[in-house]
Amino acid sequence: MNEHSPSAFDIEQAATRIAEHIHQTPVQTSQLINSALGCQLFFKCENLQKVGAFKARGALNAVAQLSSSGAVATHSSGNHGAALAYAARIYGRQAYVVMPSTAPAVKKAAVAAYGATIIECEPTLVAREATLAQLVSETGAHFIPPYDHPHIIAGQGTAALELMAQVTPALDCVLTPVGGGGLLAGTAIAVKGCAPGVQVIGAEPLGACDATDGFRSGQRVTEQTPNTLADGLRTTLGELNFAIMRAHVDNMLTVSEADIVAAMALLWTRLKLVVEPSSAVPLAAVMANPDRFAGKRVGIILSGGNVDLAQLPF
Amino acid sequence: MNEHSPSAFDIEQAATRIAEHIHQTPVQTSQLINSALGCQLFFKCENLQKVGAFKARGALNAVAQLSSSGAVATHSSGNHGAALAYAARIYGRQAYVVMPSTAPAVKKAAVAAYGATIIECEPTLVAREATLAQLVSETGAHFIPPYDHPHIIAGQGTAALELMAQVTPALDCVLTPVGGGGLLAGTAIAVKGCAPGVQVIGAEPLGACDATDGFRSGQRVTEQTPNTLADGLRTTLGELNFAIMRAHVDNMLTVSEADIVAAMALLWTRLKLVVEPSSAVPLAAVMANPDRFAGKRVGIILSGGNVDLAQLPF
């Protein structure tokens, strides 16, 4: 275990620290989905969170703990950029967000709406990192990483902390989608900290299953060519998040693109919730593995709701 | 005023009668929409209601008060059919629903899922009424009309009763979409019963503005050729509902199809709520009349969330 891993106590402190700037999002259920799947699903609606995604939690927790003044900066395909822009505005700092030119228009608009400066770059990780490095060197801005940092992880873990408190009797397991792994890592620490018997399961698209491969092999996958409509999950699992996954996560499941679209349609038509494809990945995993979840009480974190209405998969 | 108009007391009784079978739906707000429009909007989320629409309220209130046993029947392009199917299942009755062959697949599926028998007919009011009359004559089923009946109106009015109790300080006005007029009529009676100073405003597509025309001329329009994507609002205002509108409604506003799509997109992207086009009509009216609503506290009933994902207007 990496020595910089946040503790369950860090997550409780994060929850107190960011409380006034986030929504305690509701937990929703659907009798129709439950009876169709033979289990009880509890959806933590982080699509209704500030900036439309759980990412607001981590960004607030990280910016709040900066020890010196000055601007903040990051690279992001979307939700973390909007989250950092929001957090910067809350704490009175300038924000710079490096975004790939291919990022969805709705995500660029959200970043701009919170007053951040967008710097576009080529849609490769190399270009993102180079552009960011230049920006940081020119402006002296603090780099706030999107997922592989203890303050980010602790912030993201507050969603699961709330979920566990909102649902009684206790859940049998909690599922999250996995991209860079900040949400999964924070969730695992939060859940195991208050209820070690509750299983934590990560869900990934087959087209971007680097975390699952690393979970099985014990070796972190550092390069992949993601191919999934779940645009929030195309990133590669962070190093710290890999270590936390290995220590605390019980299992990883993968799903097909068709499964993701079917799960997304179910969430839209039955729960009447606009969620982005990434959010549908855990439900897709439950739908693809009915025996594994039969009769169980299953928490699912709906990670975000920022979709481009002109680019829907239906 | 028609002597069969329900009273505010009837609506309170309806609320008690149906309470255990409906959701007390949440009221949601968006700081972003409020600051963009310069007023405070309170969205009553009847898209999260049982059967995905406020129609569950009226159908339950009507079926619960039937004085003799036997099946129930109606004609409906969608939400009232699902609502009657749901109410019939709750009260242990067989339901028949006459639906036009052009009704959205998602609405037919919802009716079938609640165990009702669907009878398809040509998509004209004449065909619907003839098919229903034959069905009632053959089966002895009770006809439960979709909107022009005091028990239906009283049931629909319970949504506004809840909304008024959920928002403090009080609203300045309440807007509803208008099709057959059951929701508008029930809302007007409920609102004026508990707060006579609160304005009640109906909103209609320009392509189906029979209620607005009747409101202005004093003569009920009995025939129209509706042309709007708001499929729930293509019906003609009922006779009783016309009388109630004339007595209690303060104003009517009309909106273009482009306004409806823009308002719907705003609700989807900002509130992350799946709403059907009809639900977006009141917000479209606010967006088209900013001066009228500037600084006001405005309640909007989001009537339903049953959309065909394959037929979205984006």
Side-chain angles (χ1 to χ4, degrees):
Chain A
M1 173 57 54
N2 188 302
E3 63 182 336
H4 295 300
S5 170
S7 66
F9 180 65
D10 290 328
I11 297 176
E12 283 176 10
Q13 284 193 312
T16 305
R17 184 178 294 121
I18 68 178
E20 70 176 303
H21 302 301
I22 61 158
H23 294 306
Q24 174 159 337
T25 54
V27 174
Q28 294 199 4
T29 60
S30 163
Q31 287 177 17
L32 227 141
I33 295 180
N34 286 350
S35 63
L37 299 184
C39 55
Q40 289 195 280
L41 300 180
F42 299 85
F43 296 98
K44 175 68 171 166
C45 296
E46 289 294 296
N47 62 323
L48 304 178
Q49 188 51 268
K50 289 284 182 186
V51 316
F54 72 93
K55 295 270 184 179
R57 298 174 179 270
L60 283 163
N61 191 49
V63 176
Q65 294 180 79
L66 287 174
S67 54
S68 62
S69 62
V72 293
T74 199
H75 58 86
S76 166
S77 62
N79 284 334
H80 175 62
L84 185 63
Y86 170 69
R89 198 180 66 174
I90 292 282
Y91 293 112
R93 294 172 184 261
Q94 168 76 33
Y96 300 98
V97 181
V98 176
M99 301 187 79
S101 51
T102 52
V106 64
K107 296 195 173 180
K108 285 185 201 165
V111 171
Y114 289 111
T117 302
I118 297 174
I119 298 99
E120 286 204 4
C121 70
E122 293 301 303
T124 66
L125 186 58
V126 170
R128 279 160 66 152
E129 290 181 343
T131 308
L132 179 70
Q134 189 186 348
L135 180 77
V136 165
S137 130
E138 283 172 9
T139 63
H142 300 272
F143 170 44
I144 306 290
Y147 46 80
D148 208 27
H149 187 282
H151 295 172
I152 296 289
I153 295 166
Q156 319 305 31
T158 61
L161 207 63
E162 281 180 19
L163 170 63
M164 300 285 286
Q166 285 168 301
V167 179
T168 50
L171 296 166
D172 295 307
C173 58
V174 177
L175 274 75
T176 80
V178 185
L183 180 63
L184 178 66
T187 298
I189 294 166
V191 168
K192 298 298 182 180
C194 61
V198 176
Q199 289 224 319
V200 176
I201 299 170
E204 268 191 322
L206 268 171
C209 64
D210 62 298
T212 304
D213 290 346
F215 183 78
R216 304 249 179 275
S217 71
Q219 298 293 319
R220 185 166 79 97
V221 176
T222 53
E223 277 187 32
Q224 64 171 345
T225 308
N227 181 16
T228 175
L229 68 100
D231 55 286
L233 308 185
R234 291 178 193 146
T235 41
T236 302
L237 187 68
E239 203 174 336
L240 176 54
N241 296 330
F242 174 76
I244 295 170
M245 174 184 75
R246 294 273 297 162
H248 295 303
V249 170
D250 295 286
N251 208 348
M252 295 288 299
L253 297 171
T254 55
V255 296
S256 71
E257 296 297 291
D259 287 346
I260 297 172
V261 175
M264 188 173 163
L266 204 60
L267 291 165
W268 286 46
T269 55
R270 292 304 173 195
L271 287 176
K272 310 300 180 195
L273 285 175
V274 172
V275 294
E276 52 191 82
S278 306
S279 292
V281 170
L283 175 59
V286 173
M287 292 164 72
N289 297 276
D291 293 348
R292 183 186 295 266
F293 296 100
K296 295 281 201 302
R297 294 168 62 79
V298 181
I300 285 180
I301 299 184
L302 296 178
S303 49
N306 296 322
V307 291
D308 209 332
L309 294 181
Q311 303 276 343
L312 297 178
F314 307 117
Chain B
M1 172 59 56
N2 186 303
E3 62 181 338
H4 295 299
S5 169
S7 65
F9 180 66
D10 291 327
I11 296 176
E12 283 176 8
Q13 284 193 311
T16 305
R17 184 179 294 122
I18 68 178
E20 68 176 304
H21 302 301
I22 62 158
H23 294 305
Q24 173 160 335
T25 54
V27 175
Q28 295 197 5
T29 61
S30 163
Q31 286 178 16
L32 226 141
I33 295 180
N34 286 350
S35 64
L37 299 183
C39 55
Q40 289 195 280
L41 300 180
F42 298 86
F43 297 98
K44 176 69 171 164
C45 297
E46 289 295 296
N47 62 323
L48 304 178
Q49 189 49 268
K50 289 284 183 188
V51 318
F54 72 92
K55 295 270 184 178
R57 299 174 179 271
L60 283 164
N61 192 48
V63 175
Q65 294 181 78
L66 288 174
S67 54
S68 61
S69 62
V72 293
T74 198
H75 59 85
S76 165
S77 61
N79 284 334
H80 175 62
L84 185 63
Y86 170 69
R89 198 181 66 173
I90 293 281
Y91 294 112
R93 294 172 186 261
Q94 168 76 32
Y96 299 98
V97 180
V98 175
M99 300 186 81
S101 51
T102 52
V106 64
K107 295 196 173 179
K108 285 185 201 166
V111 171
Y114 289 111
T117 302
I118 296 173
I119 298 97
E120 285 204 5
C121 70
E122 292 300 304
T124 66
L125 185 59
V126 171
R128 278 161 66 150
E129 290 181 343
T131 307
L132 179 71
Q134 189 187 348
L135 180 77
V136 165
S137 131
E138 284 171 9
T139 63
H142 301 273
F143 170 45
I144 307 291
Y147 45 82
D148 208 26
H149 186 283
H151 294 172
I152 297 289
I153 295 166
Q156 318 305 32
T158 61
L161 206 62
E162 281 180 20
L163 171 63
M164 301 286 284
Q166 286 167 299
V167 180
T168 50
L171 296 166
D172 295 307
C173 58
V174 177
L175 274 75
T176 80
V178 186
L183 180 63
L184 178 67
T187 297
I189 294 167
V191 168
K192 298 297 181 182
C194 60
V198 176
Q199 288 224 320
V200 176
I201 299 170
E204 268 190 322
L206 269 170
C209 64
D210 61 298
T212 304
D213 289 347
F215 183 79
R216 304 249 179 276
S217 71
Q219 298 293 318
R220 186 167 79 100
V221 176
T222 53
E223 276 187 34
Q224 65 172 344
T225 308
N227 181 18
T228 175
L229 67 99
D231 55 286
L233 308 185
R234 291 177 192 145
T235 42
T236 302
L237 187 69
E239 202 173 338
L240 177 53
N241 295 331
F242 174 76
I244 295 169
M245 173 184 75
R246 294 275 296 163
H248 295 302
V249 170
D250 296 285
N251 207 349
M252 296 288 300
L253 297 171
T254 54
V255 296
S256 71
E257 296 295 292
D259 288 346
I260 297 172
V261 175
M264 187 173 164
L266 204 59
L267 291 166
W268 286 45
T269 55
R270 292 303 172 196
L271 287 176
K272 311 299 180 195
L273 286 175
V274 172
V275 294
E276 51 189 84
S278 306
S279 293
V281 170
L283 175 59
V286 173
M287 291 164 71
N289 296 277
D291 293 347
R292 183 186 296 267
F293 296 100
K296 295 281 202 300
R297 295 169 61 79
V298 181
I300 285 181
I301 299 185
L302 296 178
S303 50
N306 297 322
V307 290
D308 209 331
L309 293 182
Q311 304 276 341
L312 298 178
F314 307 117

